[in-house]
Amino acid sequence: MKIFNSIQEFNKVKDDLGKLSFIPTMGNLHRGHTSLVDIAKQFNNKIIASIYVNKLQFNDNNDYLRYPKTLDADIKLLEKHGCDYVLIPDDSILENIQTIKAPLKSQKLCGKNRPGHFDGVLTILNEFFRIIGPDIVVFGKKDYQQFILVRDFINDNNLNIKIIGGNTIRESSGLALSSRNNLLSDQEKVIAAKLYEALNDIESQKSNLDLNFVNSKKDYLESFGINIDYLISCDPESFQESYDIKNKDLLIAIAAYVGKVRLIDNLKLTKL
Ligand code: PAF
């Protein structure tokens, strides 16, 4: 696996690399990320990952500073999984960067209490897309809202990129894999698994779906000391609150703090 430690290094050979499938990451890689590499392997392209903790998408500086960094292990894992290239830029990538304003629906769910978060995500991705010029990009659907916003960004700007979404990979407890799980104690991990349990409870009783039912699941989670940012039943495209499961598929999405750690998860409900 070839490692590019700067954009300049990458640019020198870019034209010789052929068609690329790109997996952007912030490092601290786990099976969720390697499952995206596995998806990318189904195509004939070379695979390039990036590792960059993007300051622009954190609105809490402590969260940014605490973000786990495990570069050596990340490189080994990517190599073992058959990634061909990894780009590890430094903060000079932010110099003269074109700022992207995310559309209004970015202000729902994860954007509501994290203003500017998706502007930061789209800004860095636009820059990576410009530098790398990928043919395919692969994103995890745990970050469902991010997946939709990036898909729309690619379509709206007529970028010639195919986007593929990878399913969420889970611990046996149901806890969605996340780099932030490394910040949880063993006891907090047990509590964090309740998030997926609540999503599943909602799915198994989807014929009773309404605000009261969703709120009862909030209360249940709060009884374990979980601090809910949002738990919502919504339209999977607009993220507008909706309970209309008779007529359309819905997204149940959650963001919650277990201790100091913010976790997200979601489940798609198919219409009745
Ligand atoms: O999902 C992530 O890890 C980040 O939001 C991404 C896509 C790498 C952009 O910084």
Side-chain angles (χ1 to χ4, degrees):
M1 184 175 73
K2 172 98 184 98
I3 301 172
F4 301 106
N5 282 303
S6 72
I7 293 157
Q8 289 76 2
E9 251 180 66
F10 175 77
N11 280 340
K12 275 187 205 146
V13 298
K14 176 180 176 174
D15 292 342
D16 305 324
L17 301 182
K19 283 193 171 182
L20 294 172
S21 295
F22 173 42
I23 302 163
T25 85
M26 298 207 296
N28 198 242
L29 305 182
H30 48 68
R31 280 186 294 124
H33 298 102
T34 56
S35 73
L36 304 181
V37 178
D38 290 338
I39 291 174
K41 277 187 201 154
Q42 297 164 18
F43 302 88
N44 270 333
N45 297 348
K46 295 281 185 194
I47 303 173
I48 180 164
S50 63
I51 300 177
Y52 180 65
V53 184
N54 170 31
K55 225 187 262 171
L56 301 178
Q57 68 189 77
F58 289 83
N59 49 352
D60 172 351
N61 201 39
N62 279 333
D63 194 23
Y64 168 67
L65 295 173
R66 267 167 16 115
Y67 202 85
K69 292 173 192 71
T70 50
L71 191 56
D72 291 347
D74 294 346
I75 291 171
K76 283 201 187 102
L77 195 64
L78 287 172
E79 180 143 43
K80 195 170 139 213
H81 272 266
C83 191
D84 298 292
Y85 311 111
V86 57
L87 174 58
I88 311 172
D90 60 31
D91 283 338
S92 66
I93 192 173
L94 302 181
E95 284 165 19
N96 300 321
I97 197 167
Q98 182 193 352
T99 303
I100 305 294
K101 185 95 194 96
L104 265 183
K105 69 180 176 184
S106 70
Q107 292 169 21
K108 298 188 177 292
L109 313 190
C110 280
K112 198 164 177 192
N113 289 327
R114 304 179 80 195
H117 168 67
F118 286 114
D119 298 345
V121 170
L122 292 181
T123 296
I124 201 71
L125 288 175
N126 182 53
E127 188 65 7
F128 271 118
F129 293 170
R130 194 184 64 76
I131 294 163
I132 294 175
D135 178 45
I136 294 175
V137 289
V138 193
F139 284 82
K141 286 200 199 159
K142 178 171 76 72
D143 298 81
Y144 196 84
Q145 188 180 18
Q146 168 172 281
F147 175 75
I148 296 292
L149 290 167
V150 176
R151 183 203 65 189
D152 289 357
F153 179 75
I154 288 172
N155 289 339
D156 294 347
N157 292 284
N158 296 314
L159 304 182
N160 196 10
I161 302 175
K162 180 179 163 73
I163 181 166
I164 300 174
N167 290 332
T168 302
I169 308 294
R170 301 182 178 280
E171 306 259 11
S172 53
S173 68
L175 174 63
L177 292 199
S178 162
S179 303
R180 291 163 190 261
N181 292 358
N182 289 339
L183 303 170
L184 296 168
S185 68
D186 287 347
Q187 200 193 344
E188 285 171 335
K189 273 194 179 155
V190 174
I191 294 174
K194 304 275 176 205
L195 266 52
Y196 188 54
E197 184 189 313
L199 297 180
N200 272 315
D201 286 352
I202 294 175
E203 182 180 39
S204 63
Q205 293 179 64
K206 63 183 176 183
S207 53
N208 298 326
L209 189 67
D210 62 13
L211 178 60
N212 277 338
F213 184 52
V214 172
N215 281 343
S216 73
K217 290 297 153 192
K218 262 191 201 169
D219 294 344
Y220 172 73
L221 292 172
E222 279 168 355
S223 74
F224 294 97
I226 296 172
N227 187 357
I228 312 272
D229 178 356
Y230 62 81
L231 172 60
I232 187 172
S233 170
C234 64
D235 181 281
E237 288 293 323
S238 67
F239 311 125
Q240 289 279 9
E241 188 172 355
S242 171
Y243 303 93
D244 191 13
I245 191 69
K246 283 200 181 66
N247 293 306
K248 60 180 181 183
D249 295 352
L250 294 175
L251 179 76
I252 310 295
I254 186 165
Y257 287 85
V258 175
K260 287 198 166 103
V261 184
R262 187 176 187 278
L263 301 171
I264 61 173
D265 204 347
N266 67 77
L267 199 61
K268 263 282 206 44
L269 306 190
T270 40
K271 70 176 180 179
L272 289 172

